[in-house]
Amino acid sequence: MASAWCGALWDKLNRKKTLEKDLLQTPLHRCLSTQHLALIGIGQMVGAGVFVLTGTVIKDKAGPGAILSYLFAGIAALLSSLCYAEFGARVPKAGSAYVYTYITIGEFWAFLVGWNIILEYIVGAAAIARALSGSIDALANNTMSSALEEHLSLPGQFLSQYPDFLSFAFVMSVAVIVALGAKLSANITSVFTVINVTVIVSVAILGFIYADPTTWDSGFLPYGFQGVLGGAASCFFAFIGFDGISIAGEEAESPGRSIPVATISAMIVTTVLYIFVTTSVSFLVPYYDISASAPFPAAFAARGIHWAKYVVGAATVVAIFTALLGNMYMLPRTIYAIASDGLLFRIFAKVNDRTQTPVIANFVFSLVAALMALLLDMETLVDFLSIGTLMAYTMVAASVILLRYQPISECQFELHPDPTDSATDSAGNMAATENGSSSESKPLHHSYSHDDFGKLKKLFRALPVLRHCSPGTAVATSTIIMAAFMAALCSLALYATESILRAEWWTIVLLVILILGTVFSFLVIVAHVQNTAFKTFQIPLVPLLPATSMFINIAMMLKLTYLTWIRLAIWIAVGLVVYFAYGIRNSAENRSLASYNALTSYGGDGQQAPVLRGDDDDDDGDGGAEEGGDGDKWKKSQEEKPEFE
């Protein structure tokens, strides 16, 4: 009895999201071009990183080495963004990492990712609002902060020195704008994104004009290389906006092409801008004199350029306001996606008939963000934000690996025709000959059939243990083990650095074991047949790139303070209560396993898998069901489904 109950619970925790017949169908208007998506990504990233984090990272964590922090964070974020781009092109839905995890790993893990995404946007809104308030206060010679700190100071280590009523007002005001409609929010964001980029370039040029190279005399890495890594973990906040592209992808005209191009373009432009402007401000004043809350206005004022202080300060306010608007624009959409699946209270999925926005979700979670902006200090918010984001990025990278090695019976996406199917191959070659060129449905040329996906390659099929694993199982297990070895390896490298440098025997032995374990787990994944037949964008060098992304993200997470982990644990504990008390029983996937298995079962070469294989004419399988049953209906629905753009 107990084992049956545990088995049923396990099945519920790991059930996967069933995708709609047509992934391009949406009640939203598909009107966004590649340029629109790129501007959305840049608009969310630019401003938030430079005007919120630069001062904190330079002064307290890395010194001028913050330049390297932004570079490392940009590279790591680029790897993560490529994983998002692959999924976004394949599943152009607003849920972003939550949906991707739901499809490949399971419901419970998807909920945890979605819960952390909510945290990402809530804390992001609070941190940006604090920076906006700080910039305005700097323009007023800190009059507001001085008065509030004198009369309404707050006790406690993690609280702000004073309640920031202005940041509270900003969050709630932007919530009203977002509630009035997507078109109004999008128009404002598009206009101010161009202003943001102009501000960044202008600030950097002005800084180089008044540069003083002697500011680096105290050293480029005053906090050492570990300070650079710690700064890089915090600098991830600057790149959070790229996942907004995948959320906005549900309104893209051609998501299969637009999302990858827009994501890569936005990442490159943003990284270059961040490095450029960070170098500039580090030349204005020594790192220990930089203001943590408003680095640019204060730096120009310290050099006696008072007119520049007000110009830059006003421009900073505009840029940060744009970042706040973009952040809060994505917050209710993410909550709506999770609530629509039944994992959050369905009241948050309600859309106002007049404004066509999830008004209830918008105001409830905006109020939470406003209260955090009112009471918490900047450093607490920044570290809290980084760990949730890094966890989501790690899960998406792992999901790419799992998706590429899924067996054909679990794949729900359009694929190129099976190259080992002679009938399809002949038809494809005939079409190519008649047209004089290869059609989009031309088979891929490799030596493995679709049925081999997730299985061992021919060279390794005699390996013990692995040869007995079902397709995809060994890869999933190896991915988990690899992540565990990576975490242990990063912990050893970060917290036993001196022992490693002294070549103490126990650290060397442990280091070798952890490296070999990581490499072995990776090689087990490589030994299996990968699915490269997807018709949408695919990142290169899988599993190397997503595995590298996992390693970098895990290292950055472990660099954060233990108090940050405690705060995250508290947030996850709240989420677990929500999931087990509500989500697990109200999930849209809460159907009988018998019905679900009948829909997704796959019996071999002669039966239809729940996947578009591009060879409808020659597949006469019955899907494991009698004619007119669930399997036949599934096949017919897939035959009628249009190709991805």
Side-chain angles (χ1 to χ4, degrees):
M1 185 68 178
S3 60
W5 182 87
C6 291
L9 177 62
W10 179 258
D11 289 335
K12 286 188 175 183
L13 295 179
N14 292 280
R15 58 193 172 194
K16 297 179 176 63
K17 181 178 177 66
T18 305
L19 296 176
E20 299 90 343
K21 180 175 67 173
D22 184 1
L23 289 176
L24 292 179
Q25 185 176 359
T26 174
L28 303 179
H29 184 203
R30 288 199 176 276
C31 58
L32 300 181
S33 65
T34 303
Q35 291 78 9
H36 288 134
L37 294 179
L39 286 174
I40 287 174
I42 295 172
Q44 279 202 264
M45 290 185 284
V46 171
V50 170
F51 298 114
V52 175
L53 281 180
T54 303
T56 300
V57 174
I58 292 179
K59 183 175 183 178
D60 300 327
K61 296 192 175 184
I67 297 170
L68 296 180
S69 295
Y70 272 115
L71 176 61
F72 294 157
I75 293 173
L78 178 61
L79 297 179
S80 296
S81 68
L82 288 173
C83 297
Y84 272 79
E86 173 162 336
F87 267 113
R90 198 162 296 143
V91 190
K93 297 297 180 182
S96 188
Y98 155 75
V99 174
Y100 311 154
T101 306
Y102 206 164
I103 293 169
T104 56
I105 299 179
E107 179 177 287
F108 175 72
W109 314 105
F111 177 82
L112 291 182
V113 170
W115 191 247
N116 281 318
I117 291 175
I118 294 174
L119 175 68
E120 167 188 321
Y121 284 119
I122 291 176
V123 179
I128 297 171
R130 291 283 303 195
L132 183 57
S133 174
S135 296
I136 293 176
D137 188 38
L139 291 175
N141 295 320
N142 299 318
T143 303
M144 180 184 68
S145 58
S146 299
L148 289 173
E149 189 172 350
E150 180 180 355
H151 299 289
L152 294 173
S153 60
L154 296 175
Q157 181 180 357
F158 307 113
L159 296 179
S160 174
Q161 294 179 338
Y162 59 89
D164 195 336
F165 295 106
L166 187 58
S167 63
F168 181 93
F170 277 131
V171 172
M172 297 310 298
S173 298
V174 172
V176 173
I177 296 176
V178 172
L180 292 177
K183 187 174 182 179
L184 175 62
S185 302
N187 287 339
I188 296 175
T189 301
S190 298
V191 171
F192 282 98
T193 294
V194 178
I195 298 177
N196 281 353
V197 175
T198 304
V199 167
I200 295 294
V201 174
S202 300
V203 167
I205 293 175
L206 191 62
F208 280 114
I209 291 175
Y210 291 94
D212 180 9
T214 61
T215 57
W216 282 18
D217 289 347
S218 55
F220 182 71
L221 300 176
Y223 297 98
F225 193 72
Q226 283 195 337
V228 171
L229 293 179
S234 294
C235 284
F236 247 81
F237 175 64
F239 297 95
I240 284 177
F242 74 76
D243 55 349
I245 296 176
S246 62
I247 294 177
E250 189 162 346
E251 298 167 284
E253 294 174 338
S254 180
R257 180 184 62 86
S258 296
I259 292 178
V261 174
T263 300
I264 296 172
S265 301
M267 286 299 306
I268 293 175
V269 170
T270 302
T271 303
V272 171
L273 286 175
Y274 284 162
I275 293 174
F276 187 47
V277 78
T278 302
T279 304
S280 172
V281 73
S282 68
F283 276 128
L284 285 173
V285 293
Y287 74 91
Y288 45 80
D289 287 334
I290 288 179
S291 170
S293 60
F296 296 99
F300 282 116
R303 294 298 307 276
I305 315 169
H306 296 286
W307 63 268
K309 169 187 174 180
Y310 294 104
V311 172
V312 174
T316 300
V317 170
V318 174
I320 298 179
F321 175 80
T322 308
L324 178 62
L325 178 60
N327 186 285
M328 294 188 63
Y329 177 78
M330 299 302 174
L331 174 60
R333 287 169 173 254
T334 302
I335 296 167
Y336 169 80
I338 302 174
S340 296
D341 287 333
L343 302 186
L344 278 180
F345 306 111
R346 288 196 179 273
I347 191 173
F348 296 137
K350 288 187 176 181
V351 176
N352 183 274
D353 294 334
R354 183 176 180 181
T355 64
Q356 294 185 312
T357 59
V359 174
I360 297 177
N362 178 37
F363 281 113
V364 169
F365 286 87
S366 293
L367 179 60
V368 175
L371 291 174
M372 294 181 72
L374 177 70
L375 300 175
L376 299 181
D377 64 12
M378 179 67 72
E379 185 175 356
T380 300
L381 291 171
V382 167
D383 285 342
F384 204 175
L385 175 68
S386 297
I387 191 170
T389 305
L390 291 168
M391 286 189 66
Y393 292 172
T394 303
M395 293 295 285
V396 172
S399 295
V400 169
I401 296 176
L402 297 179
L403 181 65
R404 290 291 192 95
Y405 292 93
Q406 268 187 344
I408 189 66
S409 59
E410 297 180 12
C411 183
Q412 301 186 63
F413 302 100
E414 276 192 303
L415 302 179
H416 287 283
D418 193 329
T420 63
D421 191 317
S422 58
T424 303
D425 188 58
S426 299
N429 290 335
M430 184 179 298
T433 303
E434 292 176 356
N435 297 331
S437 61
S438 298
S439 66
E440 185 179 351
S441 61
K442 183 177 179 180
L444 299 181
H445 296 286
H446 51 69
S447 58
Y448 294 102
S449 72
H450 288 180
D451 293 315
D452 291 321
F453 295 154
K455 297 179 181 179
L456 282 170
K457 295 178 180 177
K458 296 176 182 178
L459 182 63
F460 306 108
R461 287 180 181 172
L463 291 176
V465 181
L466 293 179
R467 64 183 179 183
H468 301 298
C469 295
S470 58
T473 302
V475 171
T477 304
S478 297
T479 302
I480 296 172
I481 295 175
M482 181 175 66
F485 273 116
M486 286 178 175
L489 179 60
C490 292
S491 298
L492 181 66
L494 289 172
Y495 300 108
T497 306
E498 294 183 0
S499 297
I500 295 175
L501 294 177
R502 290 196 299 264
E504 296 183 9
W505 70 269
W506 66 272
T507 57
I508 300 302
V509 171
L510 191 56
L511 188 65
V512 171
I513 292 174
L514 295 177
I515 292 176
L516 290 178
T518 303
V519 173
F520 179 77
S521 301
F522 178 82
L523 292 178
V524 169
I525 298 173
V526 174
H528 289 76
V529 178
Q530 181 183 158
N531 182 354
T532 58
F534 295 107
K535 288 188 174 182
T536 52
F537 171 75
Q538 301 177 74
I539 64 174
L541 301 177
V542 175
L544 180 60
L545 287 189
T548 304
S549 176
M550 290 174 61
F551 181 81
I552 295 174
N553 293 331
I554 290 172
M556 290 186 176
M557 280 192 289
L558 293 173
K559 182 60 182 174
L560 298 174
T561 65
Y562 74 94
L563 291 175
T564 302
W565 284 90
I566 293 176
R567 297 173 200 136
L568 178 68
I570 295 173
W571 175 256
I572 290 179
V574 175
L576 292 179
V577 173
V578 173
Y579 177 75
F580 285 106
Y582 181 86
I584 194 171
R585 293 185 293 111
N586 293 276
S587 169
E589 298 296 325
N590 195 18
R591 66 193 69 181
S592 67
L593 290 178
S595 174
Y596 184 74
N597 289 335
L599 181 67
T600 60
S601 61
Y602 177 62
D605 294 338
Q607 293 182 330
Q608 175 70 23
V611 60
L612 286 178
R613 303 177 64 180
D615 52 355
D616 300 329
D617 294 335
D618 62 284
D619 192 341
D620 57 359
D622 59 9
E626 296 180 1
E627 186 175 357
D630 287 340
D632 190 58
K633 291 178 181 178
W634 176 268
K635 176 182 175 183
K636 289 181 179 179
S637 69
Q638 299 306 303
E639 290 174 346
E640 296 171 357
K641 181 177 177 181
E643 289 187 353
F644 256 118
E645 295 184 49

